Amino acid sequence: MSEAKSKPKPANSAKPRGTGKPRQQEGPAVEVASEVVGEAEPPPEIIESNPEQTPEQAEQAGKKYLLTRFWISARGYWSRRGDRLAWPCTIGLLALIGMNVGFQYGINVWNRAIFDAIEQRNAPTVYFLSVVFLPLVAGNAGLVVAQVFIRMTIQRRWRSWLTTSVIGRWLANGRYYQLNLISGDHQNPEARIAEDLRIATESPVDFVAGVISAFLSAATFIVVLWTIGGALTLPIGGSSVTIPGFLVITAVIYAAITSTSMVVIGGRFVELSEEKNQTEAEFRYTLTRVRENGESIALLGGEEEERSGIDKTFGHVLKQWALLTGQHMRTALVSQGSSLFAPVVPVLLCAPKFLEGSMSLGQVMQAASAFAIVQGAFGWLVDNYPRLADWNASARRIASLMMSLDGLERAEQSDALGRINHGETEGEAMLSLNDLSVSLDDGTAVVRETEVAIEPGERVLVAGESGSGKSTLVRAIAGLWPWGGGSVNFHPDKRMFMLPQRPYIPSGTLRRATAYPGAADNWTLDEIKAALDKVGLGHLNDKIEEDAPWDQTLSGGEKQRLAFARLLLHAPDIIVLDEATAALDEKSQDKMMETIIHELPNVTIISVAHRVELEAFHSRKITLERRKGGAKLVSDIELVPRKGKRNLLTRALWGSGARTERQRELE
């Protein structure tokens, strides 16, 4: 959960703005990182399942649709909103593939000529052909290098375009956070974006280039085989049988046998690859969790338990690798056997015609070369089926994440589950909750029909027992919780700053961590040091430019103090504290609140906390009570009475005739 919002009036506003000097121009590294910016498309329409299908059939249909969902977004790279170099590079790649096949044919013809010259002991021709071979090789090598460059350029730019598009949708409107609140197949989204999306965009380019090259090669050299081989006459009993284009027929039958064997043997490749990728992602996540929570684990002595969990997760990885190894062994058997037989078969078939003198040695070698090329083209599936299965699994995993994001995006645009609106307050009120209800993504109410308005400079304490919906209410105010009803309204042009219980500490220097989410150079070194002094972190001023793992180095209390230093630097208009002093002792907590009130005397504060000591620093207290059907506001009292009417403050409690505790006291 981010700690700052620039303008709170929209649900998710622009990047936060600090109060220091303007941010400097971004360097070239940022431009390189976003070479091709992807433009997100609207989510596709929901495909209704067939009610007549069995659960197993519905599951299979869902898996098939995942590939369709991947291509719905991925093909946008070649659309008007895609990359301007997509089509030029694609056309260039196709042209290079065609030219490369032409050079292959030239080398094939050279094979025939050189062996005919050797058979005839024609030295001048042999020498001439030896010289000709050099430009053929150089041309072919140059085409291959150019083809690799353009192919990898397409892969890089396609990945960049689609990655930026998915990341944009993932980060928009707090969806990266909301994915944790809904069900669906989107675990470890970071692994899906980093690894699965890479495979999903690299492999199709290789596959398309391979298929086109195989098709052109097969078409070209089948003609060569038909022309050279001619017909084969076999004596059977007292008669003879003539087989036209026997080399072509043999090549087709040979490829059909090997390809069919590969499909049958590797039938579970897709399923096993998908399961292997999932277990690998879970293993990485387990290790990351240990690193992120190293201090707690070390203090509790949980190494053995963590080792047990890691071993269990790694055991799943090894199990999937063992199953996948069996698949690779069987496919390797077919592939290796095919590669050994392919060069020998045409020589044996052409041997009778060579021995009877109807075929020259050059023709035999040309036929053998052409047969190998045709066999390689037909056997493309044999060599690439494992990669095809791996791509299938990766494309499904990234498509599953896309579908979860689709659901969140539809929920933002639909009123089916109810949506919390975000707008502007009327008059001078800093924040108003108008008939606000907060619910889960399945419609279950968490907080119901809250009606509250907060004046400028008010300090409001939101209290209640655990599970009463206090933090959920804060998330709704921040725009991170979309489901519910009513509206959250902010004063226009006012800035809000969120302080969660566990502040986020980015990597890098302490100066960057203090300025976050603003740029480190938005404030001078003296300003940042002063902020650290005021929150009791002055002893770290000599390390302010030190690049260290501060997330692991700072204690929980120091992290919360650092968050308050950020608060002083950004000087927002509204502060939302979600248990932001829970790691501080009572004396430090009092000191911190006194500092904020002294340094930012006009700031509006909304605090969520359990400690009653915090009432001394607030002017108003709202209490939520957990009840069946959703939490309810049961009291709204002034801790520090204010003179005169509060025309900007409106409070409505649930139930007819409800009165505040303050009203009862006055009675």
Side-chain angles (χ1 to χ4, degrees), residues 142-172:
L143 287 174
V144 170
V145 171
Q147 185 176 326
V148 169
F149 172 76
I150 294 185
R151 173 174 55 81
M152 295 191 70
T153 297
I154 294 175
Q155 291 171 327
R156 185 185 76 251
R157 297 180 70 89
W158 188 18
R159 180 189 179 187
S160 174
W161 184 88
L162 190 56
T163 299
T164 54
S165 175
V166 173
I167 289 178
R169 296 184 65 209
W170 180 53
L171 293 179

Side-chain angles (χ1 to χ4, degrees), residues 406-467:
D406 292 344
L408 289 174
E409 194 168 344
R410 290 192 195 98
E412 294 166 6
Q413 303 168 359
S414 171
D415 296 328
L417 292 176
R419 193 78 185 170
I420 298 173
N421 297 316
H422 291 259
E424 298 180 359
T425 57
E426 298 179 357
E428 296 299 322
M430 295 294 286
L431 169 67
S432 67
L433 310 179
N434 299 333
D435 197 26
L436 178 66
S437 296
V438 184
S439 60
L440 302 178
D441 63 322
D442 61 1
T444 304
V446 179
V447 180
R448 296 180 57 189
E449 302 169 353
T450 308
E451 191 89 19
V452 175
I454 299 174
E455 295 182 61
E458 265 199 306
R459 300 192 294 273
V460 181
L461 178 65
V462 181
E465 62 181 351
S466 297

Side-chain angles (χ1 to χ4, degrees), residues 474-549:
V474 168
R475 297 183 187 112
I477 292 173
L480 294 177
W481 196 289
W483 304 292
S487 63
V488 176
N489 305 308
F490 291 95
H491 191 290
D493 300 323
K494 299 298 182 180
R495 295 180 299 120
M496 181 175 69
F497 203 95
M498 304 288 298
L499 262 68
Q501 183 175 352
R502 297 180 59 187
Y504 170 66
I505 309 297
S507 59
T509 64
L510 183 61
R511 180 176 183 175
R512 177 176 184 250
T514 307
Y516 188 86
D521 56 3
N522 278 3
W523 295 272
T524 66
L525 199 60
D526 290 339
E527 288 174 329
I528 293 180
K529 287 182 177 180
L532 292 176
D533 279 330
K534 291 173 183 177
V535 298
L537 294 179
H539 59 282
L540 297 176
N541 280 340
D542 58 338
K543 301 180 180 179
I544 199 168
E545 296 289 2
E546 183 177 329
D547 192 337

Side-chain angles (χ1 to χ4, degrees), residues 93-341:
L93 179 61
L94 296 178
L96 288 173
I97 290 174
M99 294 171 64
N100 190 41
V101 172
F103 267 84
Q104 283 184 325
Y105 175 73
I107 293 174
N108 180 259
V109 173
W110 181 89
N111 270 314
R112 173 177 176 173
I114 190 70
F115 279 101
D116 280 343
I118 291 174
E119 183 183 24
Q120 298 166 8
R121 293 178 172 81
N122 188 340
T125 303
V126 171
Y127 296 146
F128 172 75
L129 291 174
S130 299
V131 174
V132 170
F133 185 67
L134 294 177
L136 282 176
V137 172
N140 182 256
L143 287 174
V144 170
V145 171
Q147 185 176 326
V148 169
F149 172 76
I150 294 185
R151 173 174 55 81
M152 295 191 70
T153 297
I154 294 175
Q155 291 171 327
R156 185 185 76 251
R157 297 180 70 89
W158 188 18
R159 180 189 179 187
S160 174
W161 184 88
L162 190 56
T163 299
T164 54
S165 175
V166 173
I167 289 178
R169 296 184 65 209
W170 180 53
L171 293 179
N173 301 333
R175 293 175 195 151
Y176 61 94
Y177 172 77
Q178 295 166 10
L179 285 176
N180 300 319
L181 310 175
I182 64 173
S183 58
D185 182 16
H186 48 252
Q187 298 83 5
N188 313 119
E190 65 283 349
R192 296 173 189 248
I193 294 173
E195 184 64 16
D196 290 309
L197 199 149
R198 178 187 65 80
I199 296 173
T201 51
E202 283 184 0
S203 298
V205 179
D206 291 336
F207 295 154
V208 171
V211 168
I212 293 175
S213 178
F215 174 79
L216 293 178
S217 298
T220 300
F221 290 98
I222 280 177
V223 175
V224 173
L225 287 178
W226 190 279
T227 303
I228 295 175
L232 178 65
T233 301
L234 298 176
I236 299 178
S239 61
S240 62
V241 175
T242 301
I243 304 175
F246 71 101
L247 289 177
V248 175
I249 294 175
T250 304
V252 172
I253 293 175
Y254 186 86
I257 293 174
T258 55
S259 298
T260 303
S261 301
M262 177 61 72
V263 172
V264 173
I265 290 175
R268 294 193 62 210
F269 244 122
V270 173
E271 179 184 352
L272 291 177
S273 295
E274 188 171 358
E275 292 174 356
K276 186 264 294 182
N277 289 350
Q278 178 62 33
T279 56
E280 291 279 13
E282 291 174 356
F283 180 56
R284 287 193 298 268
Y285 178 73
T286 301
L287 296 176
T288 301
R289 290 276 297 171
V290 173
R291 177 179 57 81
E292 291 177 345
N293 299 277
E295 181 180 3
S296 298
I297 295 171
L299 291 174
L300 294 172
E303 291 83 0
E304 289 299 324
E305 181 62 24
E306 291 300 325
R307 179 59 184 268
S308 175
I310 291 173
D311 288 346
K312 182 179 179 181
T313 306
F314 189 53
H316 293 160
V317 174
L318 295 179
K319 179 181 178 181
Q320 293 304 319
W321 266 108
L323 295 174
L324 203 58
T325 299
Q327 290 288 324
H328 276 286
M329 290 170 61
R330 288 187 285 273
T331 55
L333 178 63
V334 176
S335 180
Q336 183 66 14
S338 172
S339 64
L340 292 176
F341 276 103

